[in-house]
Amino acid sequence: MSIIRLVVGLGNPGPEHEHDRHNAGFWFVDALARSSGTSLARESKFFGVVGRARIAGEAVFLLEPSTWMNRSGQAVAALANFYRIAPPEILVVHDELDLLPGQAKLKRGGGHAGHNGLRDIQARLGSADFWRLRLGIGHPRTLQLAQDVVDFVLHRPSREQRQQIDDAITRALDCLPLLAAGDPVAAMQRLHTRG
């Protein structure tokens, strides 16, 4: 069973996007860096902000691409190719419209479901066989909002929704050591049975 060597959080760079729903992946990596005492620093050759953490005794790279969302694969492929990290050793954390705020799901492989960040990563890696941590942000229709999806993901959630997303991030962080140590079944069981 492969272990996780790279955790990628998806989002858009810049202070104006810091609180957007689309940046839920960045929120996760920021929380992971804080909890593991890891500092993140800009590394231009990897087109992003990078850190090196230890999770469950394993060395794991953390990455927040500084490209825009739809070019996330440029950063992921640059780092993965340089360090010879295979797709099954990568966890991509992203916002998920099909899950409600507070929900989080872990899976390996699958389609991109119209998510531009995932689409570009699949294209640049030449594979969809990486892990995804899907952080629910809800969908404007499900939340009874008269907003286009594009507008919805580029705005901040309500205080209550942000708290629900942060709770899901905390639960997912609790499962990460199991995944990093090569026990994805236990990681999924723990995450999925708790919400």
Side-chain angles (χ1 to χ4, degrees):
M1 180 62 70
S2 63
I3 57 174
I4 297 299
R5 296 176 56 207
L6 169 60
V7 177
V8 183
L10 299 189
N12 282 313
E16 69 276 24
H17 293 294
E18 191 178 335
H19 301 289
D20 293 355
R21 292 179 177 94
H22 222 16
N23 277 36
F26 278 9
W27 303 344
F28 180 87
V29 169
D30 287 343
L32 175 55
R34 280 193 305 273
S35 68
S36 63
T38 305
S39 56
L40 302 173
R42 188 162 307 285
E43 290 201 32
S44 56
K45 71 177 173 180
F46 298 135
F47 308 99
V49 178
V50 178
R52 291 164 183 82
R54 288 204 83 75
I55 302 166
E58 306 293 343
V60 179
F61 285 96
L62 310 184
L63 171 65
E64 293 179 357
S66 300
T67 57
W68 293 94
M69 178 67 83
N70 60 4
R71 296 209 345 263
S72 300
Q74 181 180 8
V76 177
L79 194 148
N81 292 338
F82 187 85
Y83 290 108
R84 295 186 172 85
I85 299 173
E89 299 173 318
I90 299 172
L91 172 65
V92 176
V93 186
H94 64 91
D95 57 304
E96 176 59 69
L97 289 159
D98 293 334
L99 297 175
L100 289 170
Q103 294 181 317
K105 299 286 182 190
L106 185 63
K107 72 172 189 170
R108 179 172 157 187
H112 53 69
H115 193 292
N116 290 331
L118 292 178
R119 179 189 281 122
D120 194 57
I121 291 168
Q122 287 181 198
R124 304 271 188 151
L125 291 178
S127 170
D129 195 28
F130 50 87
W131 287 91
R132 300 102 189 277
L133 174 59
R134 302 157 62 215
L135 296 172
I137 60 167
H139 191 286
R141 280 198 313 271
T142 317
L143 300 172
Q144 277 85 47
L145 297 171
Q147 237 178 331
D148 291 336
V149 166
V150 172
D151 189 49
F152 175 78
V153 299
L154 294 177
H155 279 83
R156 67 171 62 204
S158 68
R159 182 173 291 143
E160 181 188 4
Q161 289 167 7
R162 177 63 194 259
Q163 185 59 58
Q164 291 167 332
I165 295 166
D166 286 344
D167 289 346
I169 287 172
T170 300
R171 289 200 317 278
L173 285 173
D174 187 43
C175 304
L176 190 60
L178 291 168
L179 184 62
D183 196 346
V185 174
M188 287 190 278
Q189 284 175 338
R190 181 180 290 187
L191 181 62
H192 299 165
T193 55
R194 291 177 56 192

